[in-house]
Amino acid sequence: MRPPAPSLDVIAARNSATASAAAAAPSATTGSNLQTINMTDDARDSRSSSSTNSPVLADNEESDFFHVANDSQSSLGVVPNLQDMQVSDSECLPKVTVLPSEILISIFSRINNPSELLNCMLTCKRWARNVVEILWHRPACTTWIKHSNICATLGLEKPFFTYTDFVKRLNLASLADKVNDGSVIPLAVCTRVERLTLTNCHGLTDLGLIPLVRGNPHLLAVDISGDRNITEKSIFAMAENCHRLQGLNVSNCKQISNESMVQLAKNCKYIKRLKLNDCDQVNDSAVLAFANHCPNILEIDLHQCANIGNEPVTALLSQGLALRELRLVNCDLIDDGAFLSLTPNRICEHLRILDLTSCTRLTDRAVDKIIDAAPRLRNLVLAKCSNITDSAVYSISRLGKNLHYVHLGHCRNITDESIKRLVQFCNRIRYIDLGCCTHLTDESVIQLSKLPKLKRIGLVKCSSITDECMYALAGANRAATVRRNPQSTNPRRHEHHLGSLERVHLSYCTNLTLPSIICLLNSCPKLTHLSLTGVPAFLRDDLEPFCREAPPDFTEHQRAVFCVFSGQGVSGLRHFLNSQPEFAQYQLPYYTPLYMRRAIPPNQGAPQEQAQVQAQTPAPDMDGFDDADGVEDDDMGDGSEIALDPGPFANEAVPPPPPPPPHHPIIPLHPHHFLPPHLVSATIGVEIQPEIQADHDTGPPTGSHPRPSASGWDGIGSPVADGASTASMQAQIEEDDDHTLA
C-alpha cells in the first residue's frame, strides 16, 4: 500500500538540502554530512510546524517541479506555504450593519409599537444605542405600574444609559385623578423635557411642579389646565427658567395672578399658543402684556374671561402679526369699539378663526369692520349675538370662497333674504348653523341645499320649515351632474355625485314628517348624525332602539322627547325604515329637487329657457382650491334653545340693511311627480337652478386634512417638530347642543 504523500514544504526543504550537498567537495567529512542533515532538519522545522510530522516522500516518487540545480532559482522563495496562501477576504457582514446611525434612527423612529422597539433594542449593542432614545422619548405613564417602573429606572445610580436625558415628553393625564406631588417629584431628575402635560391633576401643588419646571429650561409647552391648586408661584418659576416656552394652557387655574402672567409674557417672548379658559380673574393687563411682548402669538383662547374688555382685543388684532385664531366666548364686556378702533389700513391677513359667541353687545357695525380687517376668515362664530341683522350677513357674504364655517345660531333677526345672498357669494360653506333663527323658511334651506360641499347644517327650532326643504336637501344629495372636459375630444361623460351631508340637526322642527326624513336618509349615504328631538313624528317606540341614550343629567321631560341618531344608529334607522312594509309607500326610487325641475313641456323652448336661467344664476365658483390650506373648526352643535336677554343694547340704532339682491323669477312647479299625495298641496314655488358645473377642485377630500386649531394643536405651531404639544391642547371639545335641550 502506497504511503501518504509528504507536504510541499517538506519536499522543497529536502530538495534544497540535496542540491547543497551535490555542490560541496567529494571529500567532505562525516561532520559535514552530519551538519547537512542537521540543516535539513532545521529547514524542515523552520518552514512550518505542521509539516514536521509529514511522511517522507517515497524513493520511487519525484516531482519535476522541484528539480532545480540552483537554490536561488528554487520556488521555495517565491511560493509561500499553505497558511500564507489562505484567502483573506473581508468579513462578510449583513448590509444593514454598514448603514449610518442617522438612517437607522430614521427607520426606528417609524416604529410605533414599543414592544417592537424593545425587540430592536435587544438585537445588538449598536441598535440598542440608536433605539433607546426613541423608546424613552415619551415614556408611557398610563398605569401606576408603568409609572413606578419608569421612576425606578430614572432613579438608578449607575444606569447603562442616561435615561434622564432621553425623556422629552411627560404626560400624566391618564393618571390625573390620583396624581400628587409624590408622583411628580421623582420625574424631576429629567433635564430635557420639552412637553409637559399634567391636565386635571387636582392633587398637584406648586411643591411638585416647581422642581420639574426649574430642572427643565428647554420646556416648550406646558398644560396644567384644571390644576386648581397651582398658584402664581409656578408661573413665576416658568417665567424665570423657561424662556423658550411657546405653548401654555392654564385653563381653570383660578389661583394664577395677573402679575405672574405679565411677568411670563415679558420673559417668554416666543409664546405662540395661550389658553386662559375660565380664568375669570385675568384682566386686561395680562392680555395686553402678551399682545405687546409676544408678537408671534398664533392662537389665544379667552373663553369665559369675563373681565376682558375692548383694549386687549384691539391690541391683539393690531400687533399680532401672525394671529390665526381668536376666541372670545362669553366676553360680555366687548362691544363694537374693540373692532372699530382698528386703523383703516390694518389687515389681519392670517386670521382664520374668530369666535364671538355670546358677545351680546356687538352689532352689525362691528361685523362689517371685522370683515374689512380680516378678509380671509375661514370660521366665523356669531352665535347668540342677538343684535345682528341681515346687514351683518350681507357683510359676511363678502368673504366669498374663503368662508367655510359660519355659526349664526340665535341670531333671530336674520331672514331669508340674507341667507340667499350668503349662498350666492359663499358657495364653499361646509358647516352652517342657523338654530333658533325663527324667521327662516323653506326658501332658505332650499338655497342652502345648493351648496356643493355642505357637510353639516343646523336648523334647530326653525319651526317654519316643512318637508319641502327636506326633499330639496335630499334631491341635492342624490342629484348627479354630468361633466366633461370641454377641451377634450373624448366623448365620455362622467357622473359626479354631490352627496356630502354628514350631520343634520332638526330638533324641534315640528312640521317634519316621516316621508321627507326617509327620503333624506336614503339620499345621504354619508349621514352619521341626525337629531330629531321634539319632532312628534319620531316620538315612536319602534324607533327607540336606534336612538342614542339621553345624557344622565336630563330631566324626565327631556328624556321623553330626546331623539338623536348617530353612528350605527343612523344606519340602523335607515335599514329599519326601508324594511318595514308600512313605510314602503315613502320609498321612492329617485327624487328630483324642486329647484332643478322646469314647469314647461319637454322640447318646447328648453334651450332658450336654460340659457336664460344660466345667465341669471351664477354657477358655483369651483376653481382649484387646496382644502388642506387653512384651518377648520368641526365643532357643530344643534344650537342652544336658551333665548338670551338682549339687555340695554337691544334698542341701539343699527344701520339699515342694504337692498336685497335681485330675485330670480319664480316658476310654478308640479310636485306631484315625486311627492307623496298628502304633501302635494303643501308645496310652494321655488326658483330654478342650472346644473352644477364640473368641480375642478384638485385638493384632497375635506375630511382628510388636519385641523391646526383642533387636532393639530401642537402647543407651538405646525408642524409638530417646531414645538411642543399637550394632549388637552390637541383637541377641541365638541359640544352637542342635544345635551342642553330643554
Side-chain angles (χ1 to χ4, degrees), residues 59-182:
D59 294 337
N60 59 347
E61 292 183 7
E62 57 186 15
S63 173
D64 295 337
F65 183 78
F66 291 102
H67 286 181
V68 180
N70 190 353
D71 182 65
S72 63
Q73 297 178 0
S74 171
S75 62
L76 186 62
V78 295
V79 178
N81 59 21
L82 292 182
Q83 292 182 349
D84 295 336
M85 294 174 63
Q86 291 180 356
V87 179
S88 59
D89 291 341
S90 59
E91 185 179 0
C92 297
L93 298 175
K95 293 187 179 298
V96 69
T97 60
V98 300
L99 289 177
S101 296
E102 294 80 3
I103 296 180
L104 286 176
I105 293 174
S106 178
I107 295 173
F108 294 143
S109 64
R110 287 163 169 77
I111 301 176
N112 298 322
N113 191 341
S115 61
E116 295 295 336
L117 283 173
L118 180 60
N119 293 335
C120 294
M121 187 175 176
L122 297 176
T123 301
C124 63
K125 291 184 178 180
R126 183 165 182 254
W127 281 28
R129 288 191 296 268
N130 293 327
V131 172
V132 62
E133 187 170 357
I134 300 174
L135 193 59
W136 278 81
H137 180 264
R138 181 169 49 189
C141 297
T142 54
T143 65
W144 284 110
I145 296 178
K146 293 181 179 179
H147 177 271
S148 301
N149 293 335
I150 290 171
C151 292
T153 304
L154 293 174
L156 293 175
E157 294 184 1
K158 296 181 179 180
F160 191 81
F161 294 105
T162 55
Y163 301 105
T164 56
D165 293 341
F166 299 152
V167 179
K168 299 297 180 64
R169 301 184 187 182
L170 281 176
N171 189 339
L172 301 183
S174 300
L175 309 174
D177 54 340
K178 296 183 180 180
V179 168
N180 54 30
D181 295 339

Side-chain angles (χ1 to χ4, degrees), residues 170 180-182 184-193 196 198 204-217 219 230 233-234 237-238 241-242:
L170 281 176
N180 54 30
D181 295 339
V184 178
I185 290 177
L187 301 174
V189 296
C190 302
T191 58
R192 295 187 179 181
V193 177
L196 180 63
L198 299 170
L204 183 64
T205 68
D206 296 328
L207 182 63
L209 181 59
I210 290 178
L212 190 58
V213 170
R214 288 178 174 172
N216 290 275
L219 269 174
I230 298 299
K233 294 180 181 179
S234 295
M238 293 181 194
N241 297 279
C242 307

Side-chain angles (χ1 to χ4, degrees), residues 307-365:
N307 293 323
I308 300 299
N310 291 340
E311 188 178 0
V313 176
T314 304
L316 285 170
L317 293 173
S318 300
Q319 303 180 39
L321 303 179
L323 187 63
R324 187 175 64 184
E325 179 177 340
L326 177 61
R327 297 183 182 272
L328 302 169
V329 180
N330 290 327
C331 295
D332 299 331
L333 300 181
I334 296 175
D335 57 26
D336 292 353
F339 304 97
L340 297 179
S341 300
L342 294 173
T343 59
N345 59 348
R346 175 56 182 164
I347 302 297
C348 302
E349 183 67 23
H350 300 285
L351 189 61
R352 295 294 183 272
I353 295 178
L354 181 61
D355 191 345
L356 299 170
T357 300
S358 295
C359 295
T360 55
R361 304 189 183 194
L362 296 179
T363 67
D364 295 343
R365 298 174 59 198

